[in-house]
Amino acid sequence: MSSSVIDFLATEARFGARNYEPIGVVLSRGEGVWVWDTEGNRYLDCLSAYSALNQGHCHPKILAAMVEQASRLTLTSRAFHNDQLAPFYEEIAALTGSHKVLPMNSGAEAVESAIKSVRKWGYEVKGVPDGQAEIIVCTNNFHGRTLGIVGFSTEPETRAHFGPFAPGFKIIPFGDAAALEEAITQNTVAFLVEPIQGEAGVIIPPPGYFTGVRKLCTANNVMLVLDEIQTGLGRTGKLLAEQHEGIEADVTLLGKALSGGFYPVSAVLSNNDVLGTLRPGQHGSTFGGNPLACAVARAALRVLVEEGMIENAATQGARFLEGLKAIRANTIRDVRGRGLMLAVELHPEAGRARRYCEALQGKGILAKDTHEHTIRIAPPLVITSAQVDGALEQFATILTQDFS
Ligand SMILES: *Cc1c(COP(=O)(O)O)cnc(C)c1O
């Protein structure tokens, strides 16, 4: 590491809250699938900011939309209308088949907003007695970092010493429809779940799980809330991961790639009933639905569709998965994924995934470990076959070494 890189790391360590443990690379430029560090070294980005960069770094059309809008009007607050919100609503509703849209900023805010909305729906539409609403969630869930959300995490580190937490959540195993059936009561308003659990290590539920979940939710008048903040917007090779299951959620949460990495933009999408319960003054956000966010999101959605990124995610994801499966290495316990949401799980004896990610950095690949033994692989959806093949060569080199 050069002295300037060490300076950046030392200054961050001195002043910053230590709530992250980044790989030791300082990035200063990005374009498409590539990023460059302060020394001019180039890397293939295999994390895409946890899927916020599906459209690739600094997409020129999103950049142009952002610059144009930023020079015209950035923020009105929702005290006034702006000329970007209506077209954003129209375009995202048409694309996703949703009836109502609530714009927010971070993913966690979208989750919080959904929780508030389904509770209100429960009391005012379903007829749940006040204060009794229950929401069912899954083990190993990841829905963000706010107090409301970490309260129903099952990760000890996520929760420890942050309580007391809000009641009203029931936790069941992921991928187990029978457990959902058992957990539902008359007071259940929603089932909040990720189509594929990303932070848990790219955990794909058994086939038919979501068909069963959909049936149970419909039969019991429970809102199915799919957190597609990571799986949505092309990541799994479909616009929404629910399309793999042939189902439709009642409430869909989007964030991350909704801005192509330019700006925090999230949204709650729902049928008329759920978001229809919110009245003026009952929920809001100063920046939610601002014209800059809307202009950026409109461009981010447009390029995703127009430039065939969703189809490319399916094609290149299949190629990447096949290539990873073909690597013969004693370190590998499992390889899994859908579209370009991929993971290599290492045998516990192979050592920490972090060591492999650090070694990959030396080979020009940036990937991130999750849960000690899993390497998550999620490049921008604009990746080409040649770039996939190049990455596979490096993965093969690193995974056949021993870092235990
Ligand atoms: C990242 C993520 C969130 C939280 O989004 P933030 O923008 O970090 O608040 C919520 N749910 C899922 C599935 C995510 O991957």
Side-chain angles (χ1 to χ4, degrees):
M1 255 185 253
S2 77
S3 61
S4 80
V5 170
I6 290 167
D7 283 348
F8 279 118
L9 268 47
T11 306
E12 278 192 25
R14 200 163 132 227
F15 294 107
R18 303 284 291 269
N19 56 330
Y20 279 94
E21 193 188 12
I23 302 274
V25 61
V26 181
L27 301 175
S28 63
R29 189 159 76 83
E31 188 186 322
V33 296
W34 303 110
V35 285
W36 285 263
D37 67 14
T38 48
E39 326 270 67
N41 299 307
R42 189 180 78 165
Y43 305 89
L44 181 74
D45 183 353
C46 278
L47 181 64
S48 308
Y50 304 93
S51 294
L53 288 155
N54 288 2
Q55 298 88 338
H57 288 268
C58 297
H59 192 290
K61 287 185 180 157
I62 310 176
L63 175 65
M66 182 163 189
V67 169
E68 194 278 325
Q69 185 63 44
S71 58
R72 207 153 53 78
L73 183 69
T74 55
L75 183 64
T76 54
S77 83
R78 298 286 303 279
F80 312 109
H81 297 273
N82 72 69
D83 66 0
Q84 293 298 306
L85 187 60
F88 168 63
Y89 282 171
E90 213 165 28
E91 288 161 21
I92 196 170
L95 189 62
T96 60
S98 308
H99 298 118
K100 284 236 180 301
V101 187
L102 172 69
M104 298 296 287
N105 311 285
S106 69
E109 279 178 310
V111 175
E112 290 276 351
S113 304
I115 291 170
K116 287 175 71 177
S117 308
V118 292
R119 281 180 170 176
K120 207 157 195 302
W121 168 86
Y123 299 127
E124 295 175 8
V125 179
K126 184 168 177 171
V128 172
D130 195 31
Q132 302 294 306
E134 292 168 359
I135 294 171
I136 301 171
V137 297
C138 287
T139 48
N140 300 316
N141 69 72
F142 183 84
H143 298 289
R145 297 294 196 167
T146 58
L147 204 46
I149 292 168
V150 300
F152 56 83
S153 170
T154 56
E155 199 59 39
E157 205 167 45
T158 302
R159 289 168 53 93
H161 290 177
F162 293 124
F165 300 113
F169 298 94
K170 247 190 209 178
I171 301 169
I172 61 167
F174 181 65
D176 182 349
L180 176 64
E181 184 163 25
E182 223 164 279
I184 291 174
T185 73
Q186 286 185 331
N187 293 339
T188 305
V189 296
F191 178 42
L192 167 63
V193 62
E194 300 155 83
I196 295 172
Q197 290 189 321
E199 298 314 292
V202 187
I203 310 298
I204 302 170
Y209 172 61
F210 275 104
T211 323
V213 163
R214 179 64 273 181
K215 278 195 191 127
L216 285 168
C217 288
T218 304
N220 294 283
N221 198 19
V222 167
M223 291 294 108
L224 174 57
V225 183
L226 286 185
D227 181 345
E228 295 241 23
I229 291 167
Q230 190 165 145
T231 55
L233 301 175
R235 173 54 56 191
T236 68
K238 302 259 189 206
L239 177 72
L240 299 174
E242 69 173 19
Q243 294 170 307
H244 291 288
E245 316 287 344
I247 60 152
E248 273 182 41
D250 300 297
V251 179
T252 300
L253 309 179
L254 293 179
K256 294 204 163 106
L258 189 48
S259 71
F262 280 84
Y263 197 86
V265 186
S266 66
V268 180
L269 308 173
S270 87
N271 56 31
N272 283 314
D273 276 2
V274 172
L275 286 175
T277 59
L278 296 177
R279 305 259 76 91
Q282 296 175 346
H283 190 62
S285 161
T286 304
F287 277 83
N290 75 68
L292 185 57
C294 291
V296 166
R298 293 177 67 200
L301 291 175
R302 198 157 53 237
V303 301
L304 195 70
V305 174
E306 279 179 7
E307 298 181 14
M309 293 180 195
I310 304 169
E311 297 77 9
N312 193 56
T315 310
Q316 302 305 340
R319 187 184 189 94
F320 216 135
L321 185 62
E322 197 180 317
L324 287 170
K325 282 187 167 160
I327 297 172
R328 292 281 150 256
N330 296 331
T331 53
I332 301 176
R333 181 179 188 174
D334 187 32
V335 171
R336 54 183 175 262
R338 190 165 283 163
L340 282 168
M341 188 168 181
L342 302 153
V344 175
E345 186 179 336
L346 304 170
H347 279 292
E349 315 86 70
R352 292 178 63 207
R354 166 116 190 162
R355 294 284 295 107
Y356 292 82
C357 290
E358 285 165 354
L360 283 163
Q361 183 203 337
K363 296 282 183 191
I365 304 238
L366 294 184
K368 186 75 173 70
D369 52 298
T370 175
H371 280 249
E372 199 80 11
H373 300 298
T374 303
I375 306 168
R376 180 214 320 250
I377 305 167
L381 311 187
V382 296
I383 196 167
T384 64
S385 301
Q387 289 162 349
V388 169
D389 295 347
L392 283 166
E393 259 178 60
Q394 305 305 338
F395 275 100
T397 307
I398 297 302
L399 288 166
T400 46
Q401 293 178 33
D402 187 352
F403 294 98
S404 61

